[in-house]
Amino acid sequence: MLPQDFLTRMRGMLGEEYPAFLESYNRERIHALRVNLLKTDIERFRAHAPFSLTPVPWEPSGLYYKAVDEPGKHPYHAAGVYYIQEASAMASAAYLKAAPGERILDLCAAPGGKSTQIAAAMQGQGLLVSNEIHPGRAKILSENIERMGIANCIVTNEAPETLALHFEGYFDRIMVDAPCSGEGMFRKNEKACDEWSPEQVLLCADRQLSILTCAASMLRPGGCMMYSTCTFAPEENEGTVSRFLHSHPDFSLVPLERGLGMSAGNPDWIPDPAPGLDGTIRFFPHRLKGEGHFLALLQKDGDPSASLRGFGRGGKEPGLSERDCREYIEFRDTFLCSAPSGKMIRFGEQLYLLPEAAVSLRGLKVIRPGLHLGTIKKNRFEPSHALALALTPASASQTFNLSSDDPAVGAYLGGQSLCADAQKGWNLITVDGYSIGWGKAASNMIKNHYPKGLRRF
């Protein structure tokens, strides 16, 4: 039951292609996942995954799967081996081309698909700030960052205007996957269809321009900013980009190379178009295996020299010395062969590891200040689930591996202790060599430390 005003506009936009576009809504929606390159590689995953998989053309780590596969129920999902993500939604982070060692902001990040994709490209090096303005969605974002084993990410819960006060000219790249009218998700999400209206499209366009303006102030000279939406509306796509460029002459569009089935943005669909709109990309579901999407890569003028980078307000976070974290150091030296690097900070009993490039977090609503290492209790340290998921088996001095088809995996994920002869003390529990949580062994028994809130009963 697509809105009539929407259909009328799409008929005018697509002309002869309109019947094919309309017919695409009668097809079963496409399912895809993205392999977490922080934990594995495509070849290893495809060799062992019990799914029917084919490649997503625009993202090397993206794979289509069949609905009957249900990868969300497999232990690999709990281990963060992949992220279930709509195929078209993988394109914007792929075209952003994040690199190790950079400072990157994902401004509208929940639920975390693009942030986790960016983090994989960064290979654990540099600083990723993932922000979400809505508290409930920010919590989901933080949980996905944790599940994917990302150590160099700070999750914030702020308005773009507040972040702009803290990070002037700071980031090398910014992802703005802007809130939109969601037209591209009508086949996937009936609620988006029910909530749509022409008035909502215009409201979204104004909000998108405001968000882009805030993001622009946080980008360093020479830096790039990806603007993406999951809507077909020209007002929110070519229109928002044009309005932004008209008010920001220090920005220009970077032409994007289109793959098979992708369409160019169309300047004829809006009044007063900015130059270069034919270098943007549109995804239409009748042309490729994916939902509706729009991409525009914007670059800020100026010398990209590192000397021109801005600094976070409040300076760098100094971190704690090892003598202030004695309990963790004892755990690390006993049970880890290698540990993530960064600056340790403490909130009550909770110990976190900030990325080396992190600035002071004072004055910001922070959901996840880096990697949660664990809890410091009286004369002992209890490692966190986040630390387990950020480690590889080679990082732990004691591991206990389960096969993904072993009933013991279900028992562990359900919170049960395991009867096993393991080395005494903390063991990193793995599934087919992928870390999934902690267990503490004693007397032929491994006590379960899988978080209660994640257990399957």
Side-chain angles (χ1 to χ4, degrees), residues 173-313:
R173 299 179 198 270
I174 298 177
M175 170 66 71
V176 181
D177 184 44
C180 68
S181 58
E183 295 174 1
M185 295 293 109
F186 282 176
R187 182 167 59 165
K188 178 181 176 182
N189 183 358
E190 290 185 8
K191 185 178 179 182
C193 187
D194 294 337
E195 294 176 348
W196 183 90
S197 71
E199 293 76 20
Q200 186 201 25
V201 168
L202 298 178
L203 287 172
C204 287
D206 286 341
R207 180 170 53 189
Q208 291 152 1
L209 180 60
S210 176
I211 293 172
L212 272 177
T213 299
C214 291
S217 69
M218 292 186 274
L219 190 66
R220 68 162 173 83
C224 286
M225 179 166 67
M226 173 61 72
Y227 174 73
S228 67
T229 73
C230 58
T231 188
F232 302 113
E235 296 92 338
E236 300 179 67
N237 294 333
E238 292 91 345
T240 294
V241 170
S242 289
R243 291 167 67 197
F244 173 79
L245 289 172
H246 289 323
S247 60
H248 292 79
D250 56 333
F251 276 81
S252 58
L253 281 165
V254 178
L256 298 175
E257 183 178 349
R258 296 192 301 278
L260 185 65
M262 299 179 189
S263 306
N266 192 333
D268 294 335
W269 287 339
I270 60 166
D272 194 19
L277 289 176
D278 55 353
T280 63
I281 291 178
R282 277 179 168 270
F283 283 54
F284 288 104
H286 65 290
R287 288 191 173 186
L288 41 69
K289 290 180 65 177
E291 305 298 343
H293 225 70
F294 174 83
L295 313 178
L297 186 62
L298 298 150
Q299 186 167 33
K300 194 173 190 176
D301 294 345
D303 185 348
S305 167
S307 64
L308 289 177
R309 284 182 174 178
F311 295 91
R313 190 173 76 177

Side-chain angles (χ1 to χ4, degrees), residues 54-108:
T54 55
V56 173
W58 46 85
E59 169 49 53
S61 61
L63 297 165
Y64 296 108
Y65 67 89
K66 296 181 179 178
V68 294
D69 290 328
E70 298 186 314
K73 297 181 179 180
H74 196 277
Y76 287 179
H77 185 264
V81 180
Y82 49 76
Y83 188 101
I84 297 173
Q85 186 177 20
E86 198 280 310
S88 296
M90 302 177 191
S92 54
Y95 278 97
L96 182 64
K97 299 186 183 301
E102 293 183 325
R103 302 171 178 175
I104 300 180
L105 169 66
D106 188 355
L107 187 52
C108 313

Side-chain angles (χ1 to χ4, degrees), residues 149-171:
I150 298 166
N152 62 325
C153 179
I154 295 170
V155 178
T156 56
N157 171 215
E158 285 290 1
E161 293 82 1
T162 302
L163 285 182
L165 296 174
H166 284 258
F167 295 106
E168 183 176 356
Y170 185 79
F171 294 102

